[in-house]
Amino acid sequence: MTRLETLLHNLHAAFGDTFTPVQALGEVTLTVPADQWVPICTRLRDEPGLRFESCIDLCGVDYATYGVGKVGDPIGAGHSFPGRFAVVVHLLSLTHNWRLRVRTFTASSEFPVLASLTEVWPSVNWYEREAFDLFGIVFEGHDDLRRILTDYGFIGHPFRKDFPLSGNVEMRYDPEQKRVLYQPVTIESRELTPRVIREDSYGVGR
C-alpha cells in the first residue's frame, strides 16, 4: 500500500463516509462543513493515524464567476460550489510524512465568517489576518484580527473578484501640507486586448 493509499484509508477510518476525500495529481483534498471546521481540524491534528501537527498555509478563495468566460460561456461546466468564499489549509504530518488539503466554505457570501484555527495551530495567526485583509473573511476567536498587508485606511479587499483593478482611492505625498493625501483614482479604466499574429512565417529570417 502506498503512502497516499494509507492516508486515504486512515481518513476513512477516522471519518467513515461522512466526508469524501478527492484525490488528484498526487494530492488529497478534504472538503468539510464550516460548522465542523475546528473540531475536524483538531481531530486531524490529534488522531494517531493522521497526526497533522503542522499547518503550513491558510488562504482564502473567491469562487465568484468561477469557470465562466468573458461572454458568459460556461468554460468550467460541472463546477458547483456551496458558497462564494472558501478557506483552504495545507497540512503537514511530520510523523507520517504526508500532506493534506482541507477546504470549507463560509455560510454567508455577503459577510463571510469562520471560526479561527489559532487554538489548533498557532501558526495560522498571520495567515488568517492575510485572508481577512485580502478577502474580508472574518475569523471568530482570532485575538488580533487586523490588516497585515494593506494600509490601515485601505478601502475594500483587493483579492475579491469584484474589486476594481485600479483600486478605489490613490495616495500621494503633498509637499506643501507635508502629509499623505487620499484622493479618488485618476487612472482611466480600460481593457487591453493583446495583438494576435496568425502569420506562420512571422519573424522568420528577420
Side-chain angles (χ1 to χ4, degrees):
M1 184 179 293
T2 66
R3 181 181 288 112
L4 197 60
E5 291 172 339
T6 303
L7 171 58
L8 290 170
H9 176 271
N10 292 358
L11 285 170
H12 185 269
F15 300 107
D17 296 326
T18 306
F19 315 110
T20 304
V22 176
Q23 179 183 348
L25 302 176
E27 296 182 345
V28 177
T29 300
L30 190 67
T31 301
V32 302
D35 59 355
Q36 299 182 47
W37 182 235
V38 173
I40 291 173
C41 286
T42 301
R43 191 169 181 184
L44 288 170
R45 181 195 65 185
D46 298 339
E47 191 77 23
L50 298 172
R51 293 296 292 153
F52 289 99
E53 308 99 329
S54 178
C55 178
I56 59 177
D57 188 30
L58 178 149
C59 65
V61 183
D62 183 358
Y63 282 104
T65 69
Y66 182 85
V68 178
K70 179 175 174 52
V71 295
D73 55 315
I75 60 176
H79 292 285
S80 178
F81 301 107
R84 173 180 174 182
F85 294 103
V87 172
V88 179
V89 292
H90 292 85
L91 308 180
L92 171 65
S93 171
L94 301 174
T95 300
H96 301 293
N97 189 27
W98 53 38
R99 297 170 185 263
L100 177 68
R101 179 188 297 110
V102 187
R103 176 180 63 177
T104 191
F105 288 84
T106 63
S108 172
S109 296
E110 299 299 321
F111 185 65
V113 180
L114 189 66
S116 173
L117 290 177
T118 51
E119 293 297 323
V120 183
W121 297 289
S123 61
V124 305
N125 189 309
W126 281 18
Y127 297 143
E128 289 185 345
R129 285 181 57 186
E130 181 182 58
F132 164 70
D133 190 0
L134 302 180
F135 291 94
I137 300 172
V138 175
F139 293 89
E140 287 187 323
H142 194 291
D143 60 1
D144 188 24
L145 195 63
R146 54 193 170 95
R147 293 187 181 273
I148 192 171
L149 294 175
T150 61
D151 185 68
Y152 292 113
F154 194 88
I155 299 174
H157 304 283
F159 275 18
R160 288 191 175 189
K161 296 272 184 74
D162 53 6
F163 187 84
L165 291 178
S166 59
N168 295 305
V169 297
E170 63 185 30
M171 56 185 292
R172 65 179 178 84
Y173 179 76
D174 190 305
E176 295 183 357
Q177 300 186 43
K178 296 183 178 180
R179 67 186 182 93
V180 174
L181 300 179
Y182 289 88
Q183 61 189 38
V185 175
T186 57
I187 301 175
E188 293 184 8
S189 179
R190 60 178 179 170
E191 182 174 324
L192 299 177
T193 303
R195 179 189 177 194
V196 178
I197 301 173
R198 302 189 182 280
E199 300 175 14
D200 294 336
S201 60
Y202 180 82
V204 178
R206 298 185 182 182

